[in-house]
Amino acid sequence: MNTLPAGDGWSHWPAPAKLNLFLRITGRRDDGYHVLQTVFRLLDWGDTVGVRLRGDGQIVRVGDGAVGVCEQDDLLVRAAKCLQKDANCSKGVDICIEKCIPMGAGLGGGSSDAATVLVILNRLWGLGFDVDRLAELGLRLGADVPVFVRGHNAWAEGIGEQLAPIVLPAAWYVLASPGVHAATPGLFQDPDLTRDAAPATISDFLSGTVLDNAFQPVLRRREPAVEALFIALARIGRPRLTGSGSVCFVEFADRGSAEVALAALPPGIDAWMARGAERSPLLDAVKAFNVGASPSG
């Protein structure tokens, strides 16, 4: 994990993870994209993005990015270049990342990193784009980017870009990683994936009757490590899969219950706790910056 540079014009900004509290695939568009329903829950935990402005127009990644991701493919760099081009902006930036969110986990790490770059550079470059325009740019980078740009828990439809804010109860989560990377394209091609589920409603979800994830049975069958993790987590509650990734989670009403459950897991499980956020910590960081409280740097 990179250590973020401090001083010399650097500022540091949160890029929170997300959970999919349920996920259904209800159909397929003519262009091949799957139509889904899900609820995005933002977490008060994730990556941290560092930025330092440049006057020469260059966009440079400092240090390593996500493992195995070259600079030209890095969503951090692509987001900055996308915004720079759309705004016809002559300013540049150095970007670095402290990665905490595992790759292929279903926690939205790359998408959140990209969203943080869009939101922060819009502010620091003085572009003045509204959130709708930033979300539109984000959609070019990935279907999950807009929810992080907007920064609110959301009911999502379409390919995940049709968002409606949703109020969720306070919750803590025990998350666990089986240590495998779930390749989304392969899961979408699996013949056992349910692609025509009955649409749910927000009231269905809020009643607690909708907790399924279309990828869960597929990944449990394909990955023995995921199946073993589900069995272990079943000792402390009802495990669920997030997104199309490999990380599993169990929800608790309060921190104390989550702490007890985490301590009860067998040794050797890569597990940790995170609080469900009422809104993105990035929004709070930007608000603090706007009123004169400088972010860490």
Side-chain angles (χ1 to χ4, degrees):
M1 182 171 65
N2 282 348
T3 299
L4 293 175
D8 296 328
W10 285 98
S11 60
H12 303 151
W13 304 89
K18 59 83 176 169
L19 295 175
N20 296 87
L21 299 187
F22 89 101
L23 193 156
R24 286 186 178 180
I25 300 172
T26 58
R28 196 169 188 171
R29 305 193 315 193
D30 291 340
D31 60 7
Y33 281 96
H34 290 81
V35 179
L36 58 83
Q37 291 182 312
T38 191
V39 166
F40 288 114
R41 176 90 203 221
L42 301 177
L43 298 180
D44 193 18
W45 166 84
D47 296 339
T48 304
V49 175
V51 298
R52 179 175 62 183
L53 300 185
R54 306 174 59 110
D56 59 4
Q58 293 189 61
I59 294 170
V60 178
R61 187 179 76 180
V62 176
D64 296 329
V67 176
V69 179
C70 65
E71 183 168 353
Q72 66 182 13
D73 294 332
D74 196 320
L75 276 170
L76 291 165
V77 175
R78 290 173 56 203
K81 289 184 175 180
C82 179
L83 182 63
Q84 184 188 57
K85 180 178 180 181
D86 197 77
N88 193 25
C89 178
S90 62
K91 299 175 183 177
V93 68
D94 292 327
I95 310 176
C96 60
I97 183 76
E98 183 177 83
K99 287 296 293 181
C100 293
I101 304 173
M103 292 183 64
L107 296 169
S111 295
S112 186
D113 298 343
T116 291
V117 168
L118 292 175
V119 170
I120 294 310
L121 291 186
N122 178 58
R123 177 67 182 78
L124 297 182
W125 283 348
L127 303 180
F129 286 6
D130 63 24
V131 69
D132 290 336
R133 188 167 179 182
L134 291 177
E136 181 183 345
L137 289 176
L139 187 58
R140 300 179 195 174
L141 300 165
D144 287 353
V145 178
V147 73
F148 292 110
V149 168
R150 296 188 181 279
H152 296 282
N153 298 317
W155 174 274
E157 298 191 3
I159 60 172
E161 88 292 4
Q162 298 173 20
L163 302 169
I166 187 171
V167 177
L168 298 173
W172 281 78
Y173 300 91
V174 171
L175 297 90
S177 172
V180 297
H181 183 288
T184 300
L187 295 177
F188 270 113
Q189 294 166 10
D190 194 288
D192 292 336
L193 181 68
T194 300
R195 299 173 174 84
D196 57 355
T201 65
I202 294 178
S203 60
D204 290 335
F205 169 76
L206 293 176
S207 72
T209 60
V210 175
L211 297 175
D212 49 292
N213 182 322
F215 296 102
Q216 188 166 300
V218 175
L219 201 55
R220 291 182 69 173
R221 175 180 53 79
R222 290 168 64 114
E223 294 287 353
V226 173
E227 174 64 15
L229 187 57
F230 260 82
I231 293 171
L233 290 176
R235 303 179 185 182
I236 63 169
R238 177 174 178 170
R240 287 181 266 171
L241 192 75
T242 178
S244 59
S246 60
V247 161
C248 309
F249 68 94
V250 180
E251 182 176 298
F252 297 91
D254 57 78
R255 178 172 184 159
S257 299
E259 288 175 338
V260 170
L262 181 63
L265 288 175
I269 293 180
D270 181 13
W272 64 99
M273 290 192 331
R275 184 180 68 87
E278 290 75 34
R279 68 183 210 148
S280 172
L282 176 62
L283 296 185
D284 294 330
V286 172
K287 182 179 180 180
F289 179 82
N290 289 340
V291 298
S294 177
S296 59

